[in-house]
């Protein structure tokens, strides 16, 4: 009995994940330990049940595979193949498992929930190094690699982050809606507070704060609703409650019961700034990694560099930006909010 397999790692958008440490195990036995190549490949293998194939036949099978293919032997043909990723703290986390399909060729694709993001960012290697050190000391989740650079150029760098369970859950939930039009300016949307309050948002309204509220609620966090309007405050039975807007998220003294404030971004943070636009109080979204955010734009939910653009500008670009009216220029996030249950890192 034999099986031929090739193993590949991809992200949630089916892009290959390179330089990812992995292990392949079966029945508790380590078969292969290594790092994926630039195409996310973890190798090709001939699996043989001990005593069922002659060595000459196995050599022929291996000879027809790509150079460097290996032969793996098993005494447990029914046990599944297990594919692990390795963390900075040398922990193993199971990413994929599958049964062996004997006398067949199989392509095993281990898919992570992460998305590789191409952006024109200026990397801060010192910040990345400090962040990786701090995060590994607090939780040791797997390092996630993002390609950052302008497509068509050779100016690519790497941003590596280590994400704990709750921030990862927030980012995973937000990433599910990448490209969604449910929070678009032209869309009508309702949301419901766990206590029973309902709030309708009509078409022709900005909904970046609603996106943040809905993602946090889906991730299992309770977001306090705010009373708006003089009548609502004076007459308790005439309440006009709504999820917090960008201004509340960008103000350290507000939402302070459950949300800490920081000037340093971490994955999973809510980032916000406040500006008195005609139809909004600012902008708010989630930090994927420093320099990369996901938030509701006017048309779709976008992964981009909103909230980090001014920092990347040249001195000349910054001067030109500052000369614009406040409502017409780019703004960076001024505050990052972290749920108090998340360890400081």
């Amino acid at each position: 009995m034999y099986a031929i397999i090739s193993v590949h790692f991809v992200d949630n958008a089916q892009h290959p994940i390179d330089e990812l440490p992995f292990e392949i195990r079966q029945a508790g036995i380590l078969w292969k330990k290594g790092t994926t190549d630039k195409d996310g490949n973890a190798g090709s293998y001939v699996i043989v049940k001990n005593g069922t194939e002659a060595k000459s036949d196995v050599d022929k099978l291996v000879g027809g595979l790509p150079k460097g293919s290996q032969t793996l032997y098993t005494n447990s043909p029914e046990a599944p193949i297990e594919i692990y990723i390795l963390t900075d703290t040398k922990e193993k986390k199971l990413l994929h498992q599958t049964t062996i399909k004997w006398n067949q060729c199989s392509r095993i694709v281990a898919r992570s929930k992460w998305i590789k993001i191409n952006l024109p960012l200026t990397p801060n290697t010192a910040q990345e190094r400090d962040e990786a050190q701090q995060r590994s000391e607090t939780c040791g989740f797997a390092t996630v690699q993002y390609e950052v650079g302008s497509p068509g150029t050779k100016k690519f760098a790497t941003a590596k982050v280590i994400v704990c369970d709750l921030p990862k859950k927030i980012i995973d939930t937000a990433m599910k809606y990448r490209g969604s039009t449910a929070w678009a300016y032209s869309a009508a949307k309702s949301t419901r507070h766990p206590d029973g309050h309902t709030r309708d948002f009509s078409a022709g309204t900005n909904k970046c704060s609603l996106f943040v509220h809905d993602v946090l609620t889906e991730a299992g966090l309770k977001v306090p609703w705010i009373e708006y309007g003089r009548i609502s405050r004076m007459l308790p039975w005439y309440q006009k409650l709504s999820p917090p807007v960008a201004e509340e998220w960008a103000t350290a003294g507000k939402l302070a019961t459950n949300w800490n404030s920081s000037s340093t971004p971490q994955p999973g943070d809510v980032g916000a700034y406040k500006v008195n636009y005609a139809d909004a109080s600012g902008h708010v979204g989630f930090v994927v990694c420093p320099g990369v955010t996901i938030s509701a734009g006017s048309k779709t939910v976008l992964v981009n560099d909103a909230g980090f653009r001014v920092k990347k500008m040249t001195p000349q670009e910054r001067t030109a930006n500052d000369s614009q009216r406040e409502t017409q220029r780019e703004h960076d996030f001024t505050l990052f909010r972290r749920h108090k249950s998340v360890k400081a890192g």
Side-chain angles (χ1 to χ4, degrees), residues 227-301:
E227 288 188 19
Y228 293 95
R230 184 167 174 267
I231 295 178
S232 180
R233 290 191 295 271
M234 293 175 62
L235 304 177
W237 63 86
Y238 184 80
Q239 287 189 318
K240 186 178 180 182
L241 299 175
S242 187
V245 296
E247 180 184 0
E248 271 92 36
W249 287 111
T251 304
K254 298 183 179 181
L255 311 177
T257 301
N258 294 319
W259 297 88
N260 290 323
S261 300
S262 175
S263 59
T264 305
Q266 289 186 1
D269 283 356
V270 177
Y273 65 78
K274 52 185 176 182
V275 170
N276 189 26
Y277 295 115
D279 55 358
S281 65
H283 187 62
V284 61
F286 295 104
V287 178
V288 178
C289 67
V292 181
T293 56
I294 179 168
S295 61
S298 61
K299 295 181 179 180
T300 64
V301 174

Side-chain angles (χ1 to χ4, degrees), residues 77-151:
E78 303 303 320
I81 298 171
E82 297 176 330
I83 300 174
Y84 295 84
I85 55 175
L86 306 181
T87 73
D88 275 13
T89 53
K90 310 306 178 187
E91 294 177 84
K92 295 193 300 291
K93 291 188 178 287
L94 182 64
L95 183 64
H96 185 85
Q97 63 179 0
T98 184
T99 56
I100 301 173
K101 297 177 181 177
W102 292 106
N103 300 318
Q104 294 184 38
C105 295
S106 302
R107 186 175 189 269
I108 298 175
V109 179
R111 185 169 68 92
S112 86
K113 294 181 179 180
W114 294 101
I115 295 179
K116 245 172 118 176
I117 303 166
N118 293 316
L119 287 174
L121 299 181
T122 302
N124 183 333
T125 54
Q127 178 177 316
E128 292 162 9
R129 186 168 56 251
D130 291 344
E131 179 188 338
Q133 175 66 27
Q134 292 169 357
R135 301 295 288 181
S136 63
E137 289 174 356
T138 58
C139 60
F141 193 79
T143 298
V144 183
Q145 180 168 300
Y146 298 90
E147 293 298 325
V148 291
S150 301

Side-chain angles (χ1 to χ4, degrees), residues 18 39 64 66 108 120 208 243 252 283 294 322:
D18 58 354
D39 296 315
I108 298 175
C208 63
H283 187 62
I294 179 168
D322 291 343

